């Protein structure tokens, strides 16, 4: 047993070595090209400040909507894709199944804890912060020609970008559409960022509790 999960390794390698650095590179390069120095200006075009209390209010409201969808849309999507999911997983090592908690718990405790710590860092902090600057900031600003369709287009791209999690695209699109539209209307990507962090924090803590108890 050299690692906790094949999918966890892929998640961290893709995120830490390829995806997140590539997103930062594109944003910084665009800022250098347009504004003469490396910064986040390319991701903050048209953004307006909002009171923190207002950002948190919308974030918690959207987190609640995501919670409702997790009890309604998610089970329905899981049911519809169950056969496809089982067939696909039958061709892959057991470590690719996030839901196989018993397999994960079979690893030594120190490996589980270390992996959970890395997973928390990526899934709760580095991932949401980078993705929101990139998708709701940079990509949204540079695709504004689509008008009110821009948040929907970017949200669909964002969902399919998570190709290592192919079974929840409908759910992911539906929970991020309200986040994207409110952030777009309020011209503040931190609303979506905070909502994203709250959602990932809840799912990550739930996952950690399940595998370490």
């Amino acid at each position: 047993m050299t690692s906790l999960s094949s999918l966890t390794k892929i998640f961290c390698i893709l995120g830490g070595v390829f995806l997140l650095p590539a997103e930062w590179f594109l944003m910084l390069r665009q800022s250098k090209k347009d504004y003469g120095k490396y910064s986040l200006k390319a991701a903050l075009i048209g953004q307006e400040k909002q009171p923190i209390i207002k950002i948190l209010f919308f974030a918690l409201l959207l987190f609640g909507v995501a919670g409702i969808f997790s009890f309604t849309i998610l089970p329905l999507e899981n049911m519809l894709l169950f056969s496809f999911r089982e067939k696909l997983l039958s061709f892959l090592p057991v470590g690719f199944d996030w839901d196989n908690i018993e397999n994960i718990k079979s690893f030594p405790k120190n490996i589980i804890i270390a992996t959970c710590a890395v997973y928390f860092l990526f899934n709760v902090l580095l991932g949401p912060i980078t993705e929101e600057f990139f998708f709701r900031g940079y990509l949204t600003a540079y695709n504004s020609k689509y008008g009110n369709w821009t948040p929907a287009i970017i949200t669909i791209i964002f969902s399919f970008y998570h190709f290592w999690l192919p079974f929840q695209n409908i759910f992911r699109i539906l929970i991020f559409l309200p986040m994207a539209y409110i952030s777009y209307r309020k011209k503040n990507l931190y609303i979506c960022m905070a909502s994203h962090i709250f959602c990932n924090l809840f799912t990550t803590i739930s996952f950690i509790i399940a595998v370490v108890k």
Side-chain angles (χ1 to χ4, degrees):
M1 295 182 180
T2 57
S3 65
L4 175 61
S5 164
S6 299
L7 192 54
T8 305
K9 287 193 297 182
I10 290 176
F11 174 81
C12 293
I13 291 171
L14 283 174
V17 180
F18 297 107
L19 295 178
L20 301 189
E23 289 163 17
W24 282 107
F25 170 77
L26 291 172
M27 290 186 289
L28 293 173
R29 186 185 66 173
Q30 192 69 52
S31 294
K32 174 68 174 177
K33 177 182 177 182
D34 293 348
Y35 302 101
K37 65 178 182 179
Y38 295 107
S39 69
L40 276 174
K41 282 189 175 182
L44 297 172
I45 297 172
Q47 297 291 306
E48 297 179 358
K49 289 185 178 181
Q50 296 284 352
I52 293 178
I53 190 69
K54 192 172 183 179
I55 292 173
L56 290 176
F57 169 77
F58 281 115
L60 289 171
L61 179 65
L62 291 163
F63 174 67
V65 172
I68 293 172
F69 284 167
S70 69
F71 288 104
T72 54
I73 303 300
L74 184 58
L76 179 60
E77 185 174 15
N78 287 339
M79 182 180 67
L80 292 173
L81 295 178
F82 178 79
S83 296
F84 171 71
R85 181 179 184 278
E86 293 300 304
K87 288 179 181 179
L88 179 60
L89 289 175
S90 68
F91 293 102
L92 299 172
V94 66
F96 279 79
D97 186 2
W98 282 101
D99 295 328
N100 194 335
I101 299 298
E102 293 307 313
N103 174 67
I104 296 174
K105 292 172 70 173
S106 68
F107 287 83
K109 185 69 73 173
N110 62 324
I111 293 178
I112 294 175
I113 292 174
T115 304
C116 286
V118 174
Y119 180 53
F120 185 95
L121 176 65
F122 273 91
N123 205 41
V124 178
L125 298 174
L126 296 181
I129 291 172
T130 301
E131 289 171 354
E132 293 309 321
F133 277 128
F134 185 73
F135 287 95
R136 250 59 67 174
Y138 170 63
L139 285 187
T140 297
Y142 282 85
N143 289 277
S144 58
K145 62 182 179 181
Y146 299 108
N148 289 332
W149 285 101
T150 301
I153 293 169
I154 299 302
T155 298
I156 292 171
I157 294 172
F158 168 78
S159 184
F160 285 98
Y161 149 92
H162 291 77
F163 60 88
W164 60 92
L165 295 171
F167 307 113
Q168 298 178 358
N169 279 305
I170 296 174
F171 170 69
R172 194 158 45 240
I173 289 170
L174 288 178
I175 66 171
F176 275 95
L177 267 177
M179 297 180 191
Y181 267 107
I182 289 180
S183 290
Y184 183 75
R185 288 293 188 181
K186 297 297 181 181
K187 298 181 180 180
N188 190 287
L189 62 83
Y190 297 106
I191 293 173
C192 199
M193 184 183 292
S195 305
H196 195 167
I197 289 173
F198 285 150
C199 290
N200 281 23
L201 178 65
F202 178 80
T203 57
T204 301
I205 290 178
S206 299
F207 174 81
I208 291 174
I209 291 173
V211 299
V212 300
K213 68 178 180 180

